[in-house]
Amino acid sequence: MPQHLLNRVDARRIAVRAQLLDADRPPDLLTVVNRLAFLQLDPTAAVAPSADLVAWTRLGAGYRPDHLRQAVERDRTLFEHQAMVWPMADLGLHLAEMAAWPEEGSRKHAWLAANASFRQFVLDLLRDSGPLLSREVPDRSVVPWPSTGWTNNRNVTQMLELLTARGEVAVSDRVGRQRRWDLAERVYPADTTVVPADEARRMRDERRLRSLGIARASVVGEAGESAQVEGTSGGWRIDPAAGGQPFAGRTALLSPFDRLVHDRKRAWELFDFEYVLEMYVPKAKRRWGYFALPVLHHDQLIGKVDATADHKSSTLRVQAIHQDVPFTPAVTAAVDAELEALASWLGLAKVTVV
C-alpha cells in the first residue's frame, strides 16, 4: 500500500512548486541551483542559452547571464562539470565517483592507460601555465582517440574531458563559449569532504527528488516515500516535505531542457503534455518549431511557443503559438505578457508575431 494517494492536480502542483515555477519566486541564482540540483548547459541559443533561460524563468528580469558567470568563475559558489553547473556545496557528493572513473576494462580506461605520458604532460602543463584553452595544449597523444563521430582524433579535448570526469582537471572559466581548463585543485575548495560513494548516491537521489517533487524510482531510487497517482500505472516516489503545501500558480515560458518537461513520459503522465525537441527534425516535418518553448499556466502545460530572438532587428519573432487547449482571454493576455517580458530581458525592442 503506497504511503500517499494523489490526484493528478496535486501531483502537478507538487512538481511545479518543486521546480520553483509557482508564484513564489526564489530570491537569487544560488537558491535556484541549490533547489534544482544543477543547470544543464547547452549551446543552442535560438532564444537564449538554456541555463540562462531556466534561471530567468525562475528569477525574472533581475537575472543576468553575468550572474551565472560570476558564480562559476569568481565566487566559486557553482562549478561546471559534464555540461552541467552544480552547487559547489555539493562537490563532495561527486568526488568519490570521479576518483573511481572510468571503470577498469572500459574503452576510456584503456585509452587513458595507453596515453599515460600524455596525461602527465597535460597535468604538468596546466600546473605550470594554466588555465589554458584546449587549443593551447599540444597534442602529445601516443594513441589517438578513435571515433566515428565528431570526437575522432580530437585527442586534446578528449584528454581534458576525461581528466575532468576524473576530478583531476576542472573548467576554470570561459572565453566566449570556449572553456579554459586548470588543475582541479586550483578550482575546487581544498577543504571539501569526500562523501563515500554509496552515501553520496543516496544523497544525490534525495536532492533530485526534492528538485522534482515527484518522480519514478528509476530516476530517484528509494529516495522519499511511495505514492500512487490516479490515472497512472505503477508507483511513484514523493518528497515527504512537498505535500500539503499551498499553491499559487503563474504563467511561464520554459526552455525545452527545463526539468519540468525534460522527462517526456512524466510530462505526459502528469500533465497530458506531448513534446519533442525538433532541432534535429527536418523543417517540413516539425509540428511545433526548432526550439519551441513549452507554456506553463498555473499547474498545466497548455502549449508551445515557436520563437526566435533576432538581435539584428531587435525583435523576438514568434512564428506560432500552439494551443494544446484553447486559451481563454486571460491566458492569452498572460502568455503575451510573458513574451513581452522575455523580449525585454533579452534586450529586444519588440515582439513580432509572424
Side-chain angles (χ1 to χ4, degrees):
M1 184 73 177
Q3 292 170 270
H4 301 271
L5 297 173
L6 303 172
N7 60 46
R8 288 209 296 169
V9 171
D10 287 339
R12 289 198 300 266
R13 290 180 174 182
I14 286 170
V16 170
R17 192 169 49 242
Q19 277 286 299
L20 302 177
L21 287 166
D22 60 335
D24 186 16
R25 289 184 184 265
D28 53 45
L29 178 63
L30 189 57
T31 300
V32 169
V33 185
N34 279 330
R35 179 58 178 264
L36 302 189
F38 58 83
L39 293 180
Q40 180 177 346
L41 299 172
D42 187 90
T44 307
V47 175
S50 183
D52 292 321
L53 192 53
V54 168
W56 169 78
T57 301
R58 275 78 181 169
L59 294 167
Y63 170 74
R64 292 288 181 268
D66 279 350
H67 296 168
L68 181 57
R69 181 181 292 272
Q70 178 175 330
V72 173
E73 298 179 5
R74 297 200 293 274
D75 299 342
R76 301 294 194 203
T77 52
L78 305 175
F79 70 98
E80 180 178 337
H81 182 71
Q82 303 286 68
M84 308 282 187
V85 170
W86 308 83
M88 191 66 83
D90 286 354
L91 174 63
L93 302 181
H94 301 271
L95 290 177
E97 193 172 88
M98 290 181 190
W101 189 92
E103 183 179 353
E104 189 170 353
S106 68
R107 177 188 176 201
K108 291 178 179 178
H109 186 276
W111 190 79
L112 278 173
N115 283 288
S117 61
F118 181 31
R119 169 182 168 273
Q120 192 59 53
F121 167 76
V122 171
L123 293 174
D124 290 343
L125 180 64
L126 291 176
R127 188 175 303 281
D128 294 340
S129 306
L132 297 172
L133 299 168
S134 59
R135 66 169 181 261
E136 297 173 317
V137 178
D139 184 353
R140 299 283 181 87
S141 58
V142 177
V143 177
W145 175 259
S147 171
T148 57
W150 69 273
T151 62
N152 185 58
N153 209 35
R154 294 174 62 93
N155 304 311
V156 170
T157 300
Q158 193 65 17
M159 179 59 75
L160 290 167
E161 295 277 11
L162 296 185
L163 293 181
T164 300
R166 282 181 50 77
E168 296 180 279
V169 167
V171 176
S172 173
D173 57 4
R174 284 179 176 255
V175 179
R177 291 189 177 184
Q178 296 184 65
R179 292 168 292 181
R180 288 208 306 173
W181 313 80
D182 205 349
L183 295 179
E185 65 195 51
R186 295 205 286 241
V187 177
Y188 299 155
D191 59 352
T192 301
T193 300
V194 179
V195 180
D198 287 345
E199 182 182 356
R201 194 172 300 112
R202 177 186 60 78
M203 293 175 69
R204 291 200 306 269
D205 284 345
E206 290 174 352
R207 280 161 168 71
R208 193 177 303 116
L209 179 57
R210 181 170 179 260
S211 78
L212 296 171
I214 183 168
R216 297 292 192 179
S218 59
V219 177
V220 298
E222 294 302 307
E225 298 173 350
S226 62
Q228 185 78 39
V229 179
E230 68 173 9
T232 71
S233 60
W236 297 79
R237 305 298 295 181
I238 183 175
D239 175 8
Q245 301 294 320
F247 179 83
R250 61 185 173 91
T251 303
L253 303 175
L254 308 181
S255 162
F257 299 102
D258 198 292
R259 291 290 142 171
L260 188 70
V261 297
H262 185 267
D263 184 335
R264 311 303 191 206
K265 183 179 179 182
R266 174 178 177 263
W268 174 253
E269 290 181 305
L270 296 184
F271 293 88
D272 290 323
F273 186 69
E274 182 184 6
Y275 186 83
V276 175
L277 180 58
E278 296 178 320
M279 289 166 51
Y280 305 110
V281 176
K283 186 174 182 179
K285 295 184 178 181
R286 292 176 190 152
R287 288 184 290 171
W288 303 308
Y290 177 84
F291 197 73
L293 308 178
V295 181
L296 173 70
H297 182 69
H298 293 225
D299 61 11
Q300 294 182 297
L301 290 163
I302 59 171
K304 300 96 176 167
V305 172
D306 180 11
T308 305
D310 184 346
H311 290 277
K312 289 185 178 179
S313 66
S314 194
T315 302
L316 181 64
R317 298 191 181 279
V318 179
Q319 281 76 239
I321 299 177
H322 303 278
Q323 301 182 20
D324 289 11
V325 295
F327 288 7
T328 65
V331 170
T332 297
V335 172
D336 288 346
E338 282 301 296
L339 286 168
E340 292 289 345
L342 177 59
S344 176
W345 174 67
L346 292 168
L348 304 175
K350 59 183 177 179
V351 177
T352 299
V353 180
V354 179

